[in-house]
Amino acid sequence: MSDDRPPEGKREMITVTPGMRRLCASVLGMEAIVVGLITPVAINVQGVEPPVAVTVGIGLAILCVLVIGMLKRPLAYIAGSVVQVLAIASGFLVPTMFFLGVIFAALWITAIFVARRVEGVTSR
């Protein structure tokens, strides 16, 4: 008796398309630059201690780059969503990041849905 369903634990949550990978990589690439640049702003303008500012700013930038490298896997899109939440939370160090984090989160969501919709229409 043959079953066409994938085995338990092997279900794919998100269908990753090439366009979605490109758009999401672009969003994360730009975000890596922005969150990396909050480090000097946090230190010089907000008076945050350098170890904290470097850990948050450079740590988030590195996390963005790591997620870019994993975008072929569906789990990376969940990790990218976590990065968006962390970018918004970095607003506690640099208040402007509340605004910029929301913008990047909107771009992230848009990149996923627009790419899937466009590629779904073109594949018909």
Side-chain angles (χ1 to χ4, degrees), residues 19-20 23-24 27 102-118:
M20 190 166 70
L23 283 174
C24 289
V27 170
V102 168
I103 288 177
F104 276 112
L107 288 171
W108 176 255
I109 293 166
T110 301
I112 292 171
F113 287 108
V114 168
R116 293 183 77 194
R117 178 171 288 161
V118 167

Side-chain angles (χ1 to χ4, degrees), residues 9 11-12 18 28 34 42 48 52 54 62 88 92 98 106 113 115 122:
R11 292 184 187 159
E12 201 167 308
L28 286 172
V34 170
V48 176
V52 173
V54 169
I62 290 170
I88 294 169
F92 289 108
F98 285 125
F113 287 108
T122 57

Side-chain angles (χ1 to χ4, degrees), residues 2-61:
S2 176
D3 191 3
D4 292 337
R5 291 181 301 173
E8 287 300 318
K10 294 285 185 179
R11 292 184 187 159
E12 201 167 308
M13 300 171 283
I14 300 172
T15 302
V16 178
T17 62
M20 190 166 70
R21 270 197 332 260
R22 282 190 295 270
L23 283 174
C24 289
S26 298
V27 170
L28 286 172
M30 291 294 111
E31 189 169 10
I33 294 168
V34 170
V35 295
L37 289 173
I38 70 167
T39 303
V41 173
I43 294 168
N44 295 322
V45 177
Q46 300 297 327
V48 176
E49 292 296 318
V52 173
V54 169
T55 301
V56 172
I58 303 302
L60 265 175

